[in-house]
Amino acid sequence: MKILAPGPLPVICAVCKESGLIAVLNEELDWDEQRSQLSPGLRLMALITNCLTRGQPMYRLPEFFHDTDTENLFGEGISPEDLNDHTLGRALDKLSDADPGTVLGTVLVEAAAREDVSTDVVHADTTSFSVHGLYETDEDADETLSITHGYSKDHRPDLKQFQVGLGVNRAGVPVVGDILDGNTSDTAWNTDLIGRLRQRLAADEPPVYVADSKVVNEESLDQAAAEGISIISRLPRTYNAVDALIDRAWEVNDWTDLGAFVDDENDEDAASYQIQTFQKPISEHDMRCVVVHSSSLDGRSERRIDNDLDSTEEDLENAVGQLTDRSFACEPDAQEAWEMWLDDHDDPYFEFEAEVVETEEKKSRDKPGRPPKEWDPYETVYKIAASVQRDAAAIAHRKKRASCFVVVTSLDDTEEWPAERVLREYKEQQAVERRFPVLKDPKRVGPVYLDRPDRVEALGYVLLMALLVYSLIERRAREALKDADEPMDLAGGPTSFRPTGRRVLERFENVLVMQTDGERELPANDNLPRRVLDLLDLSVAAYGIEPEV
């Protein structure tokens, strides 16, 4: 009798198979079915299970799979020792030889079809992935991936990097993905992706493309118009139109109140929104511009404004002090000096008060010795009495203005896409942003130590496949819970109707299986979360156990 600890691995493997990932890999990669103990799809699935759990380095994978029931996961006769770094490294080589970007695209299209994943809206963004190693570029070699220094979103400029471009649907399920050179610009990637998006999604209708402000440029907008793809994005501050539109909105002052965009109506800290809509050409494209006023000023923006006001106030007080120390022979000279000073130091967020005052000042003598009897030691001079203080109303308006931003869209159907829906879709950009921490979780992935750029690129695409499986697990649970009366129990006691993929997998971490003479069964005191299996549309068969009739 053996006690096995497969944990969540059978769940991950079941979703890999049901989504079509294994079948596509075996179809797309070159391999000899008669001579191979493990198909390339199963080998890469081994890396995916590792990525979504403990993230051991490749040389420790036999240890990772120890006592996990590899025969149930990978086939009869497969032992942990068969899942070594040489075996899995060759699978990465096969993926690299087969154009991994195309392979991933086929995997994503197949999964979307099997899992009924919507692709009518795509949220896209990029992130950087830091790596350890020199990765010197051989100019004579045809390297597919340039691992180099670039703008590090990991805040590790000391390390070289590659980048990941990702597009997901509203539920956060990946629908497009690219592994990019370390110095690829977001602008270039957006333009390139828009040009190939319909083909990569295998979609009959063009999707709505939602991205950050890097997509608002002449090249990307031209490409989107040519492909019939509508854009939703934020108008970057580099466009003068931002300030002009915000000023116009406050001048018109005809705001539509949308309230707060939160699932929990009791969330008192949630920001509420007001909007006004204007038409304006942006990079020679007629765009709908939604000016958005948020009730909550971003903390960083408010600190930046306060710090700027503090610095300006200190400079003005020093300048006023220098001016008030001066003496003038007549009142017109003092008045002229004040007007010149005001021209140089006037600030819209500060108020100034000043008056010219007549006073007596002791004279200084240039000649030595006792002064003559008629000498008057005092003279009449004119000084400026001035003060500076903050203009509370102007500062309040500045902060109110800073809490505004402009969302632009090329969608012209105002009935299907009213301004409120445009804003809501833009706010859903967090669907892709939330996927990056999963993709880069050091507990799962760890540092990348592969010594060849082609294997690093292939591993990057495996990480995107792992993210797909993770997202499908999360989506299955959430979709099933939409109509449920009771939330799902999470590890440690809390409950949720919207559990993350991580929280779903945690429920299976302590699952054990008892194997006797090749037959598998659950221990008498098993803690298999059967309801969670049901939510995922799986059964105990995933653990190699015959379901009860």
Side-chain angles (χ1 to χ4, degrees):
M1 184 182 70
K2 294 175 60 178
I3 300 297
L4 303 171
L9 300 191
V11 172
I12 296 170
C13 292
V15 175
C16 283
K17 295 170 184 176
E18 292 185 4
S19 66
L21 185 147
I22 306 301
V24 170
L25 292 175
N26 289 340
E27 178 68 25
E28 295 292 324
L29 304 189
D30 183 28
W31 64 296
D32 189 337
E33 188 172 355
Q34 301 300 320
R35 300 178 59 185
S36 299
Q37 185 181 22
L38 279 169
S39 72
L42 290 176
R43 297 183 194 191
L44 295 177
M45 184 180 74
L47 290 175
I48 289 171
T49 59
N50 180 50
C51 291
L52 293 181
T53 50
R54 283 176 283 170
Q56 295 291 335
M58 285 179 61
Y59 70 89
R60 295 184 61 182
L61 285 183
E63 176 185 339
F64 167 77
F65 285 109
H66 185 65
D67 290 335
T68 61
D69 199 359
T70 51
E71 288 193 327
N72 175 55
L73 298 175
F74 301 100
E76 187 175 350
I78 301 301
S79 68
E81 288 68 30
D82 295 321
L83 302 165
N84 55 64
D85 55 345
H86 297 292
T87 298
L88 303 185
R90 288 195 296 272
L92 289 176
D93 293 339
K94 290 183 180 296
L95 178 59
S96 178
D97 293 340
D99 185 359
T102 300
V103 173
L104 175 68
T106 306
V107 167
L108 296 176
V109 168
E110 180 68 18
R114 292 196 184 195
E115 299 279 332
D116 195 24
V117 172
S118 171
T119 59
D120 59 331
V121 176
V122 175
H123 292 264
D125 202 357
T126 68
T127 189
S128 56
F129 212 117
S130 300
V131 299
H132 297 260
L134 296 177
Y135 295 102
E136 298 292 346
T137 301
D138 185 353
E139 295 181 356
D140 297 328
D142 184 19
E143 299 286 4
T144 57
L145 180 67
S146 175
I147 301 176
T148 185
H149 292 284
Y151 175 70
S152 175
K153 297 180 181 180
D154 292 334
H155 306 292
R156 289 299 305 269
D158 56 310
L159 296 178
K160 291 186 177 181
Q161 65 181 24
F162 62 88
Q163 294 198 67
V164 178
L166 180 65
V168 304
N169 73 347
R170 290 189 187 93
V173 178
V175 293
V176 291
D178 291 308
I179 302 301
L180 308 166
D181 293 343
N183 57 359
T184 301
S185 72
D186 286 5
T187 299
W189 178 72
N190 275 303
T191 304
D192 179 66
L193 178 60
I194 290 170
R196 299 179 292 124
L197 189 57
R198 293 183 67 177
Q199 178 183 358
R200 294 181 66 174
L201 295 177
D204 295 330
E205 296 295 327
V208 175
Y209 188 81
V210 187
D212 66 15
S213 60
K214 295 295 180 61
V215 78
V216 184
N217 59 80
E218 185 175 355
E219 294 80 6
S220 295
L221 294 178
D222 287 347
Q223 188 68 64
E227 295 292 328
I229 292 175
S230 298
I231 298 290
I232 297 177
S233 184
R234 180 168 177 164
L235 187 61
R237 289 276 179 179
T238 52
Y239 280 79
N240 293 331
V242 173
D243 289 334
L245 285 164
I246 292 175
D247 287 341
R248 184 178 174 189
W250 284 112
E251 181 181 348
V252 174
N253 203 29
D254 184 20
W255 299 96
T256 299
D257 192 359
L258 302 182
F261 288 5
V262 292
D263 296 326
D264 183 3
E265 296 180 355
N266 296 321
D267 187 351
E268 297 179 355
D269 297 328
S272 59
Y273 298 97
Q274 295 176 309
I275 59 173
Q276 290 185 69
T277 304
F278 306 96
Q279 290 290 135
K280 192 172 183 66
I282 304 296
S283 294
E284 300 184 359
H285 292 269
D286 190 35
M287 306 285 278
R288 215 167 8 134
C289 301
V290 182
V291 181
V292 184
H293 173 227
S294 170
S295 63
S296 175
L297 179 61
D298 177 78
R300 288 177 299 177
S301 298
E302 185 163 21
R303 286 193 298 272
R304 185 169 59 249
I305 291 173
D306 288 339
N307 290 338
D308 179 58
L309 291 171
D310 290 342
S311 177
T312 302
E313 185 174 34
E314 183 178 356
D315 291 342
L316 289 173
E317 287 177 344
N318 290 335
V320 164
Q322 294 174 11
L323 179 66
T324 56
D325 286 341
R326 294 175 59 187
S327 300
F328 300 90
C330 63
E331 184 175 354
D333 287 350
Q335 188 63 42
E336 182 181 1
W338 166 247
E339 292 173 357
M340 292 177 61
W341 185 96
L342 198 58
D343 287 341
D344 293 337
H345 297 88
D346 193 22
D347 189 286
Y349 304 110
F350 290 87
E351 296 178 324
F352 305 93
E353 293 183 357
E355 63 174 333
V356 178
V357 295
E358 180 182 319
T359 185
E360 296 292 316
E361 187 174 73
K362 192 171 184 178
K363 295 189 294 186
S364 61
R365 292 186 72 243
D366 297 332
K367 298 179 180 180
R370 179 179 295 180
K373 290 183 178 181
E374 66 275 11
W375 167 260
D376 185 354
Y378 294 94
E379 64 178 344
T380 300
V381 296
Y382 296 86
K383 286 183 169 287
I384 300 171
S387 64
V388 56
Q389 60 184 8
R390 299 190 182 198
D391 187 335
I395 292 172
H397 183 69
R398 177 181 178 181
K399 290 187 175 182
K400 191 162 58 173
R401 232 176 143 274
S403 65
C404 292
F405 58 94
V406 180
V407 174
V408 294
T409 181
S410 54
L411 288 160
D412 54 12
D413 188 341
T414 57
E415 290 189 5
E416 183 179 0
W417 284 93
E420 177 180 357
R421 184 182 177 190
V422 170
L423 175 59
R424 286 183 180 274
E425 198 64 64
Y426 173 75
K427 297 294 290 183
E428 285 299 319
Q429 182 67 0
Q430 58 185 322
V432 64
E433 294 166 356
R434 283 196 298 257
R435 285 302 176 236
F436 292 141
V438 176
L439 187 67
K440 300 160 67 172
D441 186 349
K443 294 179 182 178
R444 296 191 178 93
V445 178
V448 176
Y449 290 110
L450 297 177
D451 59 353
R452 287 165 35 194
D454 59 331
R455 281 194 173 181
V456 172
E457 180 182 27
L459 179 61
Y461 281 104
V462 171
L463 294 177
L464 288 173
M465 294 178 198
L467 182 63
L468 168 67
V469 175
Y470 173 97
S471 302
L472 291 176
I473 290 171
E474 179 179 284
R475 177 180 179 272
R476 285 190 181 190
R478 291 185 174 186
E479 287 293 316
L481 286 165
K482 281 184 178 179
D483 299 323
D485 295 327
E486 298 291 333
M488 190 186 98
D489 293 330
L490 306 180
T495 62
S496 176
F497 281 103
R498 290 179 54 80
T500 64
R502 176 179 66 84
R503 297 295 260 166
V504 174
L505 292 175
E506 281 179 352
R507 290 298 313 276
F508 298 93
E509 284 186 353
N510 298 320
V511 173
L512 301 177
V513 171
M514 186 168 59
Q515 186 179 34
T516 306
D517 297 329
E519 297 294 325
R520 296 173 179 82
E521 60 181 340
L522 295 170
N525 60 343
D526 78 274
N527 57 354
L528 180 69
R530 287 173 173 77
R531 185 184 180 223
V532 182
L533 271 180
D534 290 340
L535 292 174
L536 298 176
D537 198 21
L538 299 175
S539 72
V540 293
Y543 285 83
I545 299 169
E546 287 293 329
E548 296 179 1
V549 179

